[in-house]
Amino acid sequence: KQEVTQIPAALSVPEGENLVLNCSFTDSAIYNLQWFRQDPGKGLTSLLLIQSSQREQTSGRLNASLDKSSGRSTLYIAASQPGDSATYLCAVKDSGAGSYQLTFGKGTKLSVIP
Amino acid sequence: ETGVTQTPRHLVMGMTNKKSLKCEQHLGHNAMYWYKQSAKKPLELMFVYNFKEQTENNSVPSRFSPECPNSSHLFLHLHTLQPEDSALYLCASSQDVWDRANYGYTFGSGTRLTVV
């Protein structure tokens, strides 16, 4: 059974810093990996999706990498801003017949201090 | 708007009430999902529908009853809930359950449910 772990559970950084959020998964046979952002009490906003054949994806100040063989993904946020404060969730979709659900980590709660 | 709309945003109900949550997607997707998010726990998949057919019931108690009349609409009917059912209920959609287009999932804003 796929398990997804996100470390750290919480992170506080001063504005302007670059930071890295980590996601690890136990079964490397994945179809894709998706990073989401969740503001308090709100739904999930998709940030980046990395297909299993890809190594990284970029959107603005965000860069996500994927190393399937080691079961790891990172989300890099450049020049952090207070508006980046949120919980970041990593979700893995397994490959193979019958694998049609996402497995989520518990998230990393990011606070960017002005 | 994310393309997935959930109503109501907030719901307070007594344990003997019957209520329904509604989800609508405008993305042309064929798979829809209900997830439950409780404090300090990962998102839990509840139900999956693919082309209006239920493909997954993740051992959810019968006091939760899903309905998918078409590929654009998904309901979650609630009756005789318990206080521990209080949570954020999220609806999501994807092109199909296999995500063959590799576009990922789109989530709604959720319904915050409080059972008193």
Side-chain angles (χ1 to χ4, degrees), chain A residues 31-32 34 36 38 41-46 49 51-52 89 93 98-102 104-106, chain B residues 9 33 35 37 40 42-43 45 55-56 88 90 97-100 102-105 107-109 112:
Chain A
Y31 184 69
N32 60 38
Q34 201 166 355
F36 294 90
Q38 185 175 31
K42 301 290 179 63
L44 277 62
T45 300
S46 181
L49 180 145
Q51 300 176 23
S52 61
L89 295 161
K93 186 171 180 66
S99 298
Y100 41 72
Q101 66 168 293
L102 292 182
F104 283 86
K106 292 184 178 181
Chain B
R9 295 294 300 272
Y33 312 80
Y35 279 86
Q37 187 177 36
K40 302 190 187 304
L43 270 78
L45 178 67
T55 56
E56 180 104 1
L88 182 67
L90 292 162
V97 290
W98 306 280
D99 192 19
R100 282 177 286 196
N102 237 324
Y103 290 151
Y105 287 44
F107 280 79
S109 298
R112 171 65 64 184

Side-chain angles (χ1 to χ4, degrees), chain A residues 6 8-12 21 40 85-88 106-111:
Chain A
Q6 292 186 246
L11 180 64
S12 183
L21 308 180
S85 298
T87 296
Y88 290 80
K106 292 184 178 181
T108 294
K109 185 175 182 180
L110 173 65
S111 299

Side-chain angles (χ1 to χ4, degrees), chain A:
Chain A
K1 181 186 172 186
Q2 180 75 266
E3 292 182 5
V4 178
T5 303
Q6 292 186 246
I7 295 174
L11 180 64
S12 183
V13 300
E15 181 178 2
E17 270 203 9
N18 303 325
L19 59 100
V20 174
L21 308 180
N22 297 293
C23 171
S24 62
F25 45 95
T26 54
D27 187 345
S28 62
I30 68 169
Y31 184 69
N32 60 38
L33 183 146
Q34 201 166 355
W35 281 94
F36 294 90
R37 168 191 172 133
Q38 185 175 31
D39 293 293
K42 301 290 179 63
L44 277 62
T45 300
S46 181
L47 298 174
L48 290 165
L49 180 145
I50 310 178
Q51 300 176 23
S52 61
S53 58
Q54 298 174 327
R55 296 282 296 183
E56 65 179 329
Q57 282 287 335
T58 298
S59 176
R61 294 182 293 109
L62 305 179
N63 176 279
S65 69
L66 175 65
D67 184 343
K68 253 189 8 174
S69 60
S70 66
R72 293 184 181 181
S73 176
T74 61
L75 180 66
Y76 174 83
I77 302 177
S80 59
Q81 303 171 357
D84 295 329
S85 298
T87 296
Y88 290 80
L89 295 161
C90 167
V92 167
K93 186 171 180 66
D94 293 332
S95 60
S99 298
Y100 41 72
Q101 66 168 293
L102 292 182
T103 303
F104 283 86
K106 292 184 178 181
T108 294
K109 185 175 182 180
L110 173 65
S111 299
V112 180
I113 312 301

